[in-house]
Structures are given as structure tokens and as C-alpha cells.
Short mmCIF file of all heavy atoms in Angstrom, two decimals:
data_model
loop_
_atom_site.label_atom_id
_atom_site.label_comp_id
_atom_site.label_asym_id
_atom_site.label_seq_id
_atom_site.Cartn_x
_atom_site.Cartn_y
_atom_site.Cartn_z
N ALA A 290 47.99 99.01 -29.98
CA ALA A 290 47.44 98.74 -31.32
C ALA A 290 48.45 99.13 -32.39
O ALA A 290 48.69 98.38 -33.34
CB ALA A 290 46.13 99.49 -31.51
N VAL A 291 49.06 100.29 -32.23
CA VAL A 291 50.06 100.75 -33.20
C VAL A 291 51.21 99.75 -33.28
O VAL A 291 51.66 99.38 -34.37
CB VAL A 291 50.59 102.16 -32.84
CG1 VAL A 291 51.79 102.53 -33.70
CG2 VAL A 291 49.49 103.19 -33.00
N ALA A 292 51.68 99.29 -32.13
CA ALA A 292 52.79 98.33 -32.11
C ALA A 292 52.43 97.04 -32.84
O ALA A 292 53.24 96.49 -33.60
CB ALA A 292 53.21 98.03 -30.68
N ASP A 293 51.20 96.56 -32.63
CA ASP A 293 50.80 95.32 -33.30
C ASP A 293 50.57 95.52 -34.79
O ASP A 293 50.93 94.65 -35.60
CB ASP A 293 49.56 94.72 -32.63
CG ASP A 293 49.92 93.83 -31.46
OD1 ASP A 293 51.12 93.63 -31.19
OD2 ASP A 293 48.99 93.33 -30.81
N TYR A 294 49.98 96.64 -35.18
CA TYR A 294 49.84 96.91 -36.62
C TYR A 294 51.22 96.99 -37.26
O TYR A 294 51.44 96.46 -38.35
CB TYR A 294 49.09 98.21 -36.87
CG TYR A 294 47.59 98.09 -36.77
CD1 TYR A 294 46.85 98.93 -35.95
CD2 TYR A 294 46.90 97.13 -37.51
CE1 TYR A 294 45.48 98.84 -35.87
CE2 TYR A 294 45.52 97.03 -37.44
CZ TYR A 294 44.82 97.88 -36.61
OH TYR A 294 43.46 97.77 -36.54
N ARG A 295 52.13 97.62 -36.57
CA ARG A 295 53.49 97.74 -37.10
C ARG A 295 54.11 96.35 -37.31
O ARG A 295 54.67 96.07 -38.37
CB ARG A 295 54.34 98.56 -36.13
CG ARG A 295 55.73 98.79 -36.59
CD ARG A 295 56.50 99.63 -35.61
NE ARG A 295 57.81 99.93 -36.16
CZ ARG A 295 58.62 100.83 -35.70
NH1 ARG A 295 58.28 101.56 -34.66
NH2 ARG A 295 59.79 101.01 -36.25
N GLN A 296 54.01 95.50 -36.32
CA GLN A 296 54.57 94.15 -36.42
C GLN A 296 53.90 93.37 -37.56
O GLN A 296 54.57 92.69 -38.34
CB GLN A 296 54.43 93.40 -35.10
CG GLN A 296 55.04 92.03 -35.11
CD GLN A 296 56.55 92.06 -35.33
OE1 GLN A 296 57.23 93.00 -34.96
NE2 GLN A 296 57.08 91.03 -35.93
N GLY A 297 52.60 93.46 -37.65
CA GLY A 297 51.88 92.76 -38.72
C GLY A 297 52.31 93.22 -40.10
O GLY A 297 52.53 92.41 -41.00
N LEU A 298 52.45 94.54 -40.26
CA LEU A 298 52.87 95.07 -41.56
C LEU A 298 54.29 94.63 -41.92
O LEU A 298 54.58 94.32 -43.07
CB LEU A 298 52.77 96.60 -41.56
CG LEU A 298 51.36 97.15 -41.61
CD1 LEU A 298 51.36 98.65 -41.32
CD2 LEU A 298 50.71 96.86 -42.95
N LEU A 299 55.15 94.58 -40.94
CA LEU A 299 56.52 94.10 -41.20
C LEU A 299 56.51 92.64 -41.63
O LEU A 299 57.24 92.24 -42.54
CB LEU A 299 57.40 94.29 -39.97
CG LEU A 299 57.72 95.74 -39.61
CD1 LEU A 299 58.42 95.81 -38.26
CD2 LEU A 299 58.53 96.42 -40.70
N LEU A 300 55.65 91.86 -40.99
CA LEU A 300 55.59 90.42 -41.32
C LEU A 300 55.03 90.16 -42.71
O LEU A 300 55.36 89.14 -43.31
CB LEU A 300 54.78 89.66 -40.27
CG LEU A 300 55.48 89.51 -38.91
CD1 LEU A 300 54.52 88.91 -37.89
CD2 LEU A 300 56.72 88.63 -39.05
N VAL A 301 54.19 91.05 -43.24
CA VAL A 301 53.70 90.85 -44.60
C VAL A 301 54.64 91.43 -45.65
O VAL A 301 54.36 91.36 -46.84
CB VAL A 301 52.25 91.40 -44.82
CG1 VAL A 301 51.27 90.68 -43.95
CG2 VAL A 301 52.19 92.89 -44.64
N GLY A 302 55.75 92.00 -45.19
CA GLY A 302 56.77 92.44 -46.13
C GLY A 302 56.72 93.90 -46.52
O GLY A 302 57.38 94.30 -47.49
N GLU A 303 55.99 94.71 -45.79
CA GLU A 303 55.99 96.14 -46.09
C GLU A 303 57.37 96.72 -45.76
O GLU A 303 58.09 96.21 -44.91
CB GLU A 303 54.92 96.88 -45.28
CG GLU A 303 53.49 96.57 -45.71
CD GLU A 303 53.15 97.06 -47.12
OE1 GLU A 303 53.80 98.00 -47.62
OE2 GLU A 303 52.24 96.47 -47.72
N ASN A 304 57.71 97.80 -46.41
CA ASN A 304 59.00 98.46 -46.23
C ASN A 304 59.13 98.93 -44.78
O ASN A 304 58.30 99.70 -44.29
CB ASN A 304 59.07 99.66 -47.18
CG ASN A 304 60.35 100.44 -47.04
OD1 ASN A 304 60.70 100.91 -45.97
ND2 ASN A 304 61.04 100.61 -48.16
N PRO A 305 60.19 98.49 -44.08
CA PRO A 305 60.34 98.85 -42.66
C PRO A 305 60.39 100.36 -42.40
O PRO A 305 59.83 100.84 -41.42
CB PRO A 305 61.66 98.19 -42.26
CG PRO A 305 61.80 97.04 -43.21
CD PRO A 305 61.20 97.52 -44.51
N ALA A 306 61.05 101.11 -43.28
CA ALA A 306 61.12 102.56 -43.08
C ALA A 306 59.73 103.19 -43.23
O ALA A 306 59.36 104.08 -42.46
CB ALA A 306 62.09 103.18 -44.08
N ARG A 307 58.98 102.70 -44.18
CA ARG A 307 57.62 103.21 -44.40
C ARG A 307 56.73 102.86 -43.22
O ARG A 307 55.94 103.68 -42.76
CB ARG A 307 57.07 102.61 -45.68
CG ARG A 307 55.72 103.12 -46.05
CD ARG A 307 55.34 102.56 -47.39
NE ARG A 307 54.06 103.07 -47.81
CZ ARG A 307 53.31 102.51 -48.73
NH1 ARG A 307 53.72 101.41 -49.32
NH2 ARG A 307 52.17 103.03 -49.07
N VAL A 308 56.84 101.65 -42.73
CA VAL A 308 56.05 101.22 -41.58
C VAL A 308 56.39 102.06 -40.36
O VAL A 308 55.51 102.51 -39.62
CB VAL A 308 56.26 99.71 -41.30
CG1 VAL A 308 55.59 99.31 -40.00
CG2 VAL A 308 55.72 98.88 -42.45
N ALA A 309 57.67 102.32 -40.15
CA ALA A 309 58.10 103.15 -39.02
C ALA A 309 57.53 104.56 -39.13
O ALA A 309 57.08 105.15 -38.13
CB ALA A 309 59.61 103.18 -38.93
N GLN A 310 57.51 105.10 -40.33
CA GLN A 310 56.97 106.45 -40.55
C GLN A 310 55.47 106.48 -40.26
O GLN A 310 54.99 107.39 -39.59
CB GLN A 310 57.24 106.90 -42.00
CG GLN A 310 56.66 108.26 -42.32
CD GLN A 310 57.24 109.38 -41.49
OE1 GLN A 310 58.42 109.35 -41.14
NE2 GLN A 310 56.44 110.37 -41.14
N ILE A 311 54.76 105.49 -40.75
CA ILE A 311 53.32 105.43 -40.50
C ILE A 311 53.03 105.32 -39.00
O ILE A 311 52.18 106.03 -38.46
CB ILE A 311 52.69 104.25 -41.28
CG1 ILE A 311 52.68 104.56 -42.77
CG2 ILE A 311 51.28 103.96 -40.78
CD1 ILE A 311 52.30 103.38 -43.64
N ALA A 312 53.75 104.43 -38.33
CA ALA A 312 53.55 104.24 -36.89
C ALA A 312 53.86 105.53 -36.13
O ALA A 312 53.13 105.90 -35.20
CB ALA A 312 54.42 103.10 -36.39
N ALA A 313 54.91 106.23 -36.54
CA ALA A 313 55.27 107.49 -35.88
C ALA A 313 54.19 108.55 -36.09
O ALA A 313 53.83 109.27 -35.15
CB ALA A 313 56.62 107.99 -36.41
N GLU A 314 53.65 108.63 -37.29
CA GLU A 314 52.59 109.60 -37.56
C GLU A 314 51.36 109.34 -36.69
O GLU A 314 50.78 110.27 -36.13
CB GLU A 314 52.17 109.54 -39.04
CG GLU A 314 53.16 110.14 -40.00
CD GLU A 314 52.65 110.07 -41.43
OE1 GLU A 314 51.44 110.31 -41.65
OE2 GLU A 314 53.46 109.77 -42.31
N ILE A 315 50.99 108.08 -36.59
CA ILE A 315 49.81 107.75 -35.79
C ILE A 315 50.07 108.01 -34.31
O ILE A 315 49.22 108.58 -33.61
CB ILE A 315 49.38 106.29 -36.04
CG1 ILE A 315 48.84 106.16 -37.46
CG2 ILE A 315 48.31 105.87 -35.04
CD1 ILE A 315 48.48 104.77 -37.87
N SER A 316 51.24 107.64 -33.83
CA SER A 316 51.58 107.89 -32.43
C SER A 316 51.59 109.38 -32.12
O SER A 316 51.11 109.81 -31.06
CB SER A 316 52.93 107.27 -32.08
OG SER A 316 52.84 105.86 -32.10
N GLN A 317 52.13 110.18 -33.03
CA GLN A 317 52.16 111.63 -32.82
C GLN A 317 50.75 112.21 -32.79
O GLN A 317 50.45 113.07 -31.96
CB GLN A 317 52.99 112.31 -33.91
CG GLN A 317 54.47 112.04 -33.80
CD GLN A 317 55.25 112.46 -35.03
OE1 GLN A 317 54.69 112.91 -36.03
NE2 GLN A 317 56.56 112.28 -34.98
N SER A 318 49.89 111.73 -33.67
CA SER A 318 48.50 112.20 -33.67
C SER A 318 47.78 111.80 -32.41
O SER A 318 46.98 112.57 -31.87
CB SER A 318 47.76 111.66 -34.90
OG SER A 318 48.27 112.25 -36.07
N LEU A 319 48.06 110.61 -31.92
CA LEU A 319 47.47 110.16 -30.66
C LEU A 319 47.91 111.05 -29.51
O LEU A 319 47.09 111.48 -28.69
CB LEU A 319 47.86 108.70 -30.40
CG LEU A 319 47.38 108.09 -29.09
CD1 LEU A 319 45.86 108.08 -29.01
CD2 LEU A 319 47.93 106.66 -28.95
N THR A 320 49.19 111.37 -29.47
CA THR A 320 49.72 112.22 -28.41
C THR A 320 49.13 113.63 -28.49
O THR A 320 48.74 114.21 -27.48
CB THR A 320 51.26 112.29 -28.49
OG1 THR A 320 51.78 110.97 -28.33
CG2 THR A 320 51.83 113.19 -27.41
N ALA A 321 49.03 114.15 -29.69
CA ALA A 321 48.56 115.53 -29.88
C ALA A 321 47.06 115.69 -29.71
O ALA A 321 46.60 116.69 -29.15
CB ALA A 321 48.98 116.03 -31.26
N ALA A 322 46.28 114.71 -30.17
CA ALA A 322 44.83 114.90 -30.21
C ALA A 322 44.04 113.74 -29.62
O ALA A 322 42.83 113.65 -29.82
CB ALA A 322 44.38 115.16 -31.65
N GLY A 323 44.73 112.82 -28.95
CA GLY A 323 44.02 111.72 -28.29
C GLY A 323 43.38 110.75 -29.25
O GLY A 323 43.83 110.58 -30.39
N GLU A 324 42.31 110.14 -28.79
CA GLU A 324 41.61 109.12 -29.56
C GLU A 324 41.16 109.64 -30.93
O GLU A 324 41.31 108.96 -31.94
CB GLU A 324 40.40 108.62 -28.76
CG GLU A 324 39.61 107.54 -29.43
CD GLU A 324 38.45 107.05 -28.58
OE1 GLU A 324 38.20 107.61 -27.50
OE2 GLU A 324 37.78 106.09 -29.02
N ARG A 325 40.62 110.83 -30.94
CA ARG A 325 40.17 111.40 -32.21
C ARG A 325 41.33 111.55 -33.20
O ARG A 325 41.21 111.25 -34.38
CB ARG A 325 39.50 112.75 -31.96
CG ARG A 325 38.94 113.38 -33.21
CD ARG A 325 38.25 114.70 -32.86
NE ARG A 325 37.74 115.36 -34.03
CZ ARG A 325 36.52 115.21 -34.51
NH1 ARG A 325 35.66 114.44 -33.90
NH2 ARG A 325 36.14 115.86 -35.59
N GLY A 326 42.48 111.99 -32.71
CA GLY A 326 43.65 112.13 -33.56
C GLY A 326 44.12 110.79 -34.11
O GLY A 326 44.53 110.69 -35.27
N TYR A 327 44.04 109.77 -33.27
CA TYR A 327 44.41 108.42 -33.71
C TYR A 327 43.57 107.99 -34.90
O TYR A 327 44.08 107.58 -35.93
CB TYR A 327 44.24 107.45 -32.54
CG TYR A 327 44.43 105.99 -32.91
CD1 TYR A 327 45.69 105.42 -32.88
CD2 TYR A 327 43.36 105.18 -33.29
CE1 TYR A 327 45.89 104.09 -33.20
CE2 TYR A 327 43.55 103.85 -33.62
CZ TYR A 327 44.81 103.31 -33.57
OH TYR A 327 44.99 102.00 -33.91
N TRP A 328 42.25 108.10 -34.73
CA TRP A 328 41.34 107.63 -35.80
C TRP A 328 41.43 108.50 -37.05
O TRP A 328 41.37 107.98 -38.17
CB TRP A 328 39.91 107.55 -35.28
CG TRP A 328 39.73 106.44 -34.31
CD1 TRP A 328 39.56 106.52 -32.96
CD2 TRP A 328 39.77 105.04 -34.61
NE1 TRP A 328 39.47 105.27 -32.41
CE2 TRP A 328 39.59 104.34 -33.40
CE3 TRP A 328 39.94 104.30 -35.78
CZ2 TRP A 328 39.57 102.95 -33.32
CZ3 TRP A 328 39.91 102.91 -35.70
CH2 TRP A 328 39.73 102.25 -34.49
N GLN A 329 41.59 109.79 -36.88
CA GLN A 329 41.74 110.66 -38.06
C GLN A 329 42.99 110.30 -38.84
O GLN A 329 42.97 110.24 -40.07
CB GLN A 329 41.77 112.12 -37.63
CG GLN A 329 40.41 112.65 -37.23
CD GLN A 329 40.46 114.09 -36.77
OE1 GLN A 329 41.44 114.55 -36.19
NE2 GLN A 329 39.38 114.80 -37.01
N LYS A 330 44.10 110.08 -38.12
CA LYS A 330 45.35 109.76 -38.81
C LYS A 330 45.26 108.39 -39.47
O LYS A 330 45.76 108.20 -40.58
CB LYS A 330 46.52 109.81 -37.83
CG LYS A 330 47.87 109.61 -38.48
CD LYS A 330 48.16 110.59 -39.61
CE LYS A 330 48.43 111.97 -39.14
NZ LYS A 330 48.95 112.85 -40.23
N ARG A 331 44.62 107.43 -38.82
CA ARG A 331 44.47 106.11 -39.44
C ARG A 331 43.70 106.23 -40.76
O ARG A 331 44.08 105.62 -41.76
CB ARG A 331 43.72 105.14 -38.51
CG ARG A 331 44.67 104.36 -37.63
CD ARG A 331 44.02 103.13 -37.05
NE ARG A 331 43.80 102.13 -38.07
CZ ARG A 331 42.77 101.30 -38.09
NH1 ARG A 331 41.87 101.32 -37.15
NH2 ARG A 331 42.64 100.40 -39.05
N LEU A 332 42.62 107.00 -40.75
CA LEU A 332 41.83 107.19 -41.98
C LEU A 332 42.67 107.89 -43.04
O LEU A 332 42.68 107.47 -44.20
CB LEU A 332 40.57 107.99 -41.67
CG LEU A 332 39.68 108.31 -42.86
CD1 LEU A 332 39.19 107.02 -43.52
CD2 LEU A 332 38.49 109.15 -42.41
N GLU A 333 43.39 108.92 -42.66
CA GLU A 333 44.24 109.64 -43.61
C GLU A 333 45.28 108.71 -44.23
O GLU A 333 45.49 108.73 -45.45
CB GLU A 333 44.94 110.79 -42.89
CG GLU A 333 45.90 111.56 -43.75
CD GLU A 333 46.71 112.55 -42.94
OE1 GLU A 333 46.12 113.23 -42.09
OE2 GLU A 333 47.93 112.62 -43.17
N ILE A 334 45.91 107.90 -43.43
CA ILE A 334 46.94 106.99 -43.93
C ILE A 334 46.34 105.94 -44.85
O ILE A 334 46.92 105.62 -45.89
CB ILE A 334 47.72 106.36 -42.75
CG1 ILE A 334 48.63 107.43 -42.14
CG2 ILE A 334 48.52 105.14 -43.20
CD1 ILE A 334 49.29 107.03 -40.86
#
């Protein structure tokens, strides 16, 4: 899901560095706290 959101955001013209940072934050939250971390970080972002 993160990979596809990242690709979609790049295709609509979002800043690549910003998109990479957002994707990294979500991936880190997923690794650290699992599904709950994923959803919490998505809401925060």
C-alpha cells in the first residue's frame, strides 16, 4: 500500500523528497508498531 501511495503521489506531481519522507515515516511506524502504527501515522500525516 505504501509503495502504491508513493507512486500515485509522484504521478500527481508531489515533491519526490517529501513523498519519500512520508513513505519512510509510515514504513517505520509499521515496522515499530504494526498495523496500529501504520494507521496512526497515516492519520498524523
Side-chain angles (χ1 to χ4, degrees):
V291 170
D293 273 357
Y294 279 127
R295 182 179 185 166
Q296 183 62 30
L298 288 169
L299 291 172
L300 288 172
V301 297
E303 290 294 336
N304 178 304
R307 183 175 183 199
V308 172
Q310 177 62 34
I311 289 170
E314 286 181 41
I315 292 176
S316 291
Q317 289 168 357
S318 292
L319 177 61
T320 300
E324 182 178 4
R325 183 178 178 92
Y327 173 88
W328 289 108
Q329 286 178 328
K330 185 56 72 170
R331 269 198 71 214
L332 178 60
E333 177 188 317
I334 287 171

